[in-house]
Amino acid sequence: MNVFQPAQPRNRSPLFLSIAAALAFVSLPAVAQDTSTAVAPPESQRSDNAVSLDSVVVTANKRVENVRDVGASISVIGERQLEGIGAVSLTDYAALIPGLQIQSDGSPGLTRVSLRGIAALSSGATVATYIDEVPVGSSGIYQGASSLMLDLLPYDISRIEVLRGPQGTLYGAGAIGGLLKYVTRVPDPADDEVRVGLGLRSVSGGEQDWNARFGASLPLSNERMGLRVSAARNGIPGFVDNAVDGGRNINSGEQIGARAALSWNGDAFDANLSVLHQRTRSDDRASVALDPATQSPLGGDFETQAWQPRPFSKDLTLFSLSLDWDLGWGNFVSATGWSETSTMDQIDATVQFGEVANLMLGLPEPGSSFVRYDFDLDKITQEFRLTSKGGGAFEWMVGAFYTREDAQQSQFAWLGQRDGSPLPPPLDTQFGTLAIIGLPSTYKEVALFANVSWRFGERFKLDAGLRQARNDQWFSQNVPEGILAPIGEAPGESSENVFTWSLSPQFKLADDVMLYARIATGYQPGGPNVALLGMPPQVDSSMLDSYEVGLKSQFADRRVTLDVSAYRIDWEDIQVASSFNGVGGLVNGGEATSQGFELTSLFQASDAWLLGFNAAYTDATIKNDFTPTVIPQDGYDVILWTGLAGDRMPYSPKWSAAATAEYGFSTSNGFNGQVGAALRWVGERLNDTTERQRVTAPGDPGTLLIPDEVAVPLSLASYRSLDLYAGVGRNNWELRAYVNNVTGEDAWLSMSPLSSAFGGPAQQISAVPIQPRTFGIEIDFRF
């Protein structure tokens, strides 16, 4: 199975070119305030007297509710807030939401998301993603769900809801750490609206690019039917140069989105039909080559070393249909979704596999190599819900959910000469293709769920929920050509039954003060594993239990909002990637705990000033050494531990915080505007867990052949970033300007050491920087 047999075992390679889940996992080289977040809303969105803070409506419990009445940690960012800070991707606003961490691998869409330290250590996601009523992205382990999270261009978005903690009872598979929910704007059947906007963005030391947007709502039938159409384009200015070929600003790209929605508002029947498409293209990654010894750039501050192009693209098309029947005593809701996602991710594998050319084939110098991953996913979802009317002493909901995924993952690993040309004959035909691997898979899930809420008097309420789910999966690893994996087909399948539940008592200490507790469980689906010596035939679901207490309060005539929460999470059967000599799979490693607290606040200091502050403390650590994987080799065994007791969870800072301030104004001649600032601080993080590698005699773990090798994680220093923004408008126009990372701070979002598959120390570190100082100006017209 292992093509290369080095004289001694090597440390873990960041490229897991495995035949299955780990290959999806390595498509990347590496691995809000509860009322509205601490981002201050523009003046136009404040209450008429601009003294009390507005309430915010959410659909976290699949009912329309005031967020102040929900016994859970929820943050919301509104459309105008996203516009004010010039947000175009998750990395632009993640630090404003306590407990949310984003690990970018150099492009929108190459994104990992974690909440409260529940990091993705495998190819399966730990945070579920919804667009309105429909889940998007794969629930399985063969579509790189953890590293290819949906990063929706936030245009025509009413708000973004972030639910912290497991949401398994209502949102099912993958919501083990929480939920990211995009809520789109609905058509207005009564009033028409047209909006047109243009903008320009410039990165310090890099390129400039433009963006444009259009949106329109059109009433169609006597305040019953409405149509909304929108389109947007956002250019991604490049700022990274390539020292190998002299390329400049290689990481440019664009995001394009379009949406059409049709709604019908009847007396007893409502319907919403929509189609959404988004396309993301990046010419290359925003990564910098660092010296492994010093973590300083090998060249310029924003210079990489890539021998092969690293393009990325992602296309998402989503059709959704929501039907709501008012039965008088309750409502029957049908939510249908169909999505098609196509993703292409190519990485430069020259460091990992380039030495095949000289060390194995006898050429005078190492070659160059790339690995291209193609992910194609068709997903159908159907949910039925029957709900009671709201506002009574007893509310209930029962429902059924079904999803089917048909997926294909394809991998192509190529080897050529250092200058990018093919290998000389006949080596080009014999070894130019290192691997062609196909991984077709299916995922089917059926679930029944129920949620109830009892109100006892005016002050006490008890929420409870449960969900019973079953998933059936199939996959096959098909290898028709190459030298990195054995030729042939090896199918696998798995089935699981999973039960999750939640319980949340809530007590009103006063009209605007609520104390709550929440106990909830969640799960991350497992699935059939790769056909590899040492790997189990199936990886089991990861499960966790979450315990949370919190206080939501408003006081000083509702001018001050203060919310605090504390939690403990026990996580078991954690799915982790285990690899040796560039190949690997998934195993259930062991247990971890995450405990911490979060604080969010807003202060309406006057009719003009709005101040915000949030902070999070997260202590997420591995509880005991992960279960080791034994990988038999020719003449010896390799025992791998992919995490040790006391390790911190990757990319989970112990401390993070954000502070905001905004001043809103209006003039006697009709001008309205605002000036604001946001200061974000993220603490020190680690890029991985510790790996211990032991070589023993075959079948005899007590006989060590060489001393253990331990690969410790890299440390990413803490950083702060200051953003400024301002806007002014009158009548039907608005002009906005912003500067992000005003002081030009240098810091890293992710780090990945790159090593040869033949062994030896890391040759470089590929690091993704935070966005350099960026200037933007936007103008919008509304008619």
Side-chain angles (χ1 to χ4, degrees), residues 630-633 635-639 695-703 705:
V630 180
I631 304 176
Q633 301 294 294
Y636 61 93
D637 288 345
V638 176
I639 304 177
V695 178
T696 68
D700 183 6
T703 303
L705 301 183

Side-chain angles (χ1 to χ4, degrees), residues 26-373:
V26 301
S27 60
L28 312 178
V31 164
Q33 168 86 6
D34 288 348
T35 52
S36 62
T37 79
V39 183
E43 187 272 340
S44 61
Q45 282 195 323
R46 299 181 189 168
S47 56
D48 292 339
N49 59 14
V51 173
S52 64
L53 293 166
D54 292 341
S55 62
V56 175
V57 169
V58 296
T59 55
N61 287 332
K62 299 197 173 182
R63 291 179 180 269
V64 177
E65 299 174 288
N66 187 330
V67 70
R68 312 298 309 162
D69 297 328
V70 179
S73 295
I74 306 171
S75 294
V76 182
I77 296 182
E79 176 185 23
R80 298 282 295 181
Q81 297 164 322
L82 295 167
E83 290 179 350
I85 60 176
V88 295
S89 68
L90 284 166
T91 55
D92 293 326
Y93 56 85
L96 300 173
I97 300 173
L100 175 64
Q101 292 300 321
I102 302 296
Q103 176 193 344
S104 171
D105 284 279
S107 170
L110 285 172
T111 308
R112 300 174 189 266
V113 180
S114 63
L115 284 163
R116 291 183 167 177
I118 306 304
L121 300 179
S122 71
S123 53
T126 60
V127 176
T129 305
Y130 268 63
I131 298 179
D132 297 323
E133 293 268 12
V134 178
V136 293
S138 178
S139 299
I141 58 176
Y142 291 102
Q143 283 288 299
S146 65
S147 55
L148 300 171
M149 289 286 291
L150 176 66
D151 197 345
L152 195 65
L153 179 63
Y155 177 69
D156 215 34
I157 299 295
S158 172
R159 65 186 182 273
I160 298 172
E161 300 178 7
V162 179
L163 285 64
R164 300 189 290 278
Q167 308 296 323
T169 55
L170 285 179
Y171 293 97
I176 188 171
L179 176 74
L180 177 66
K181 186 175 186 179
Y182 297 92
V183 181
T184 61
R185 293 192 63 186
V186 298
D188 189 337
D191 296 313
D192 56 1
E193 176 203 21
V194 177
R195 175 187 178 186
V196 178
L198 293 170
L200 182 68
R201 172 180 295 227
S202 177
V203 177
S204 178
E207 292 181 320
Q208 302 81 40
D209 212 329
W210 59 276
N211 61 71
R213 52 204 167 270
F214 165 80
S217 281
L218 305 172
L220 297 180
S221 176
N222 193 28
E223 299 189 358
R224 293 285 193 180
M225 181 179 292
L227 172 68
R228 180 167 186 84
V229 293
S230 64
R233 188 266 183 190
N234 176 65
I236 304 173
F239 58 88
V240 170
D241 301 333
N242 189 356
V244 174
D245 62 7
R248 292 184 53 80
N249 303 320
I250 62 173
N251 62 307
S252 58
E254 69 174 2
Q255 299 161 283
I256 295 177
R259 177 175 173 263
L262 183 68
S263 69
W264 169 263
N265 296 328
D267 293 329
F269 175 78
D270 297 337
N272 292 278
L273 173 66
S274 71
V275 57
L276 175 148
H277 180 77
Q278 174 161 308
R279 183 181 71 187
T280 301
R281 297 282 189 276
S282 293
D283 296 332
D284 213 304
R285 298 173 188 261
S287 65
V288 177
L290 304 183
D291 185 327
T294 64
Q295 293 190 9
S296 298
L298 289 172
D301 288 342
F302 296 104
E303 191 172 71
T304 191
Q305 293 184 0
W307 288 264
Q308 290 289 333
R310 302 170 298 177
F312 172 79
S313 66
K314 184 169 187 173
D315 288 84
L316 167 68
T317 301
L318 171 66
F319 290 88
S320 62
L321 174 64
S322 176
L323 307 175
D324 188 340
W325 284 272
D326 188 341
L327 305 176
W329 49 268
N331 287 74
F332 180 75
V333 177
S334 170
T336 307
W338 173 80
S339 61
E340 182 180 63
T341 308
S342 296
T343 306
M344 187 280 292
D345 182 25
Q346 181 170 302
I347 66 171
D348 177 20
T350 297
V351 172
Q352 293 90 337
F353 296 113
E355 290 182 338
V356 172
N358 60 317
L359 298 183
M360 186 174 173
L361 305 182
L363 295 178
E365 65 174 352
S368 64
S369 176
F370 69 80
V371 181
R372 185 178 69 239
Y373 303 86

Side-chain angles (χ1 to χ4, degrees), residues 431-582:
F431 301 100
T433 298
L434 293 176
I436 295 178
I437 301 173
L439 299 171
S441 62
T442 61
Y443 178 96
K444 293 185 291 184
E445 181 175 341
V446 177
L448 300 175
F449 61 91
N451 222 56
V452 295
S453 177
W454 288 278
R455 287 182 173 85
F456 301 91
E458 296 294 325
R459 295 190 179 275
F460 184 74
K461 184 174 77 166
L462 181 67
D463 290 341
L466 56 86
R467 188 183 189 102
Q468 178 68 51
R470 176 182 174 84
N471 69 73
D472 297 286
Q473 300 183 58
W474 171 90
F475 100 110
S476 181
Q477 58 183 51
N478 304 329
V479 185
E481 184 179 352
I483 64 172
L484 295 184
I487 305 299
E489 298 183 1
E493 58 184 21
S494 68
S495 297
E496 285 185 310
N497 293 293
V498 182
F499 178 75
T500 55
W501 59 274
S502 65
L503 185 67
S504 176
Q506 302 152 43
F507 185 75
K508 285 273 191 178
L509 301 176
D511 287 345
D512 296 318
V513 181
M514 181 179 74
L515 179 68
Y516 72 89
R518 185 172 187 265
I519 305 174
T521 63
Y523 79 101
Q524 178 189 33
N529 209 355
V530 299
L532 177 66
L533 288 175
M535 298 297 163
Q538 175 179 334
V539 58
D540 295 331
S541 290
S542 297
M543 304 290 296
L544 63 70
D545 300 320
S546 173
Y547 310 89
E548 177 181 349
V549 293
L551 179 72
K552 294 186 175 185
S553 63
Q554 286 185 314
F555 50 91
D557 295 327
R558 296 187 176 179
R559 294 171 57 196
V560 178
T561 294
L562 178 64
D563 298 336
V564 294
S565 60
Y567 62 88
R568 176 186 172 89
I569 298 172
D570 294 319
W571 192 8
E572 61 182 20
D573 288 332
I574 301 172
Q575 296 173 15
V576 296
S578 180
S579 75
F580 176 73
N581 274 358

Side-chain angles (χ1 to χ4, degrees), residues 526-667:
N529 209 355
V530 299
L532 177 66
L533 288 175
M535 298 297 163
Q538 175 179 334
V539 58
D540 295 331
S541 290
S542 297
M543 304 290 296
L544 63 70
D545 300 320
S546 173
Y547 310 89
E548 177 181 349
V549 293
L551 179 72
K552 294 186 175 185
S553 63
Q554 286 185 314
F555 50 91
D557 295 327
R558 296 187 176 179
R559 294 171 57 196
V560 178
T561 294
L562 178 64
D563 298 336
V564 294
S565 60
Y567 62 88
R568 176 186 172 89
I569 298 172
D570 294 319
W571 192 8
E572 61 182 20
D573 288 332
I574 301 172
Q575 296 173 15
V576 296
S578 180
S579 75
F580 176 73
N581 274 358
V583 295
L586 297 182
V587 298
N588 291 107
E591 300 178 358
T593 60
S594 179
Q595 53 193 358
F597 66 84
E598 296 155 348
L599 178 148
T600 58
S601 62
L602 278 178
F603 175 36
Q604 186 78 63
S606 69
D607 60 354
W609 279 102
L610 183 61
L611 308 176
F613 177 76
N614 70 50
Y617 171 79
T618 307
D619 182 15
T621 57
I622 294 176
K623 189 174 181 180
N624 43 38
D625 290 357
F626 280 167
T627 302
T629 303
V630 180
I631 304 176
Q633 301 294 294
D634 185 12
Y636 61 93
D637 288 345
V638 176
I639 304 177
L640 294 175
W641 288 263
T642 53
L644 302 182
D647 280 354
R648 282 170 52 190
M649 281 295 175
Y651 296 101
S652 178
K654 283 201 170 183
W655 290 97
S656 60
T660 63
E662 182 177 287
Y663 177 81
F665 63 88
S666 59
T667 66

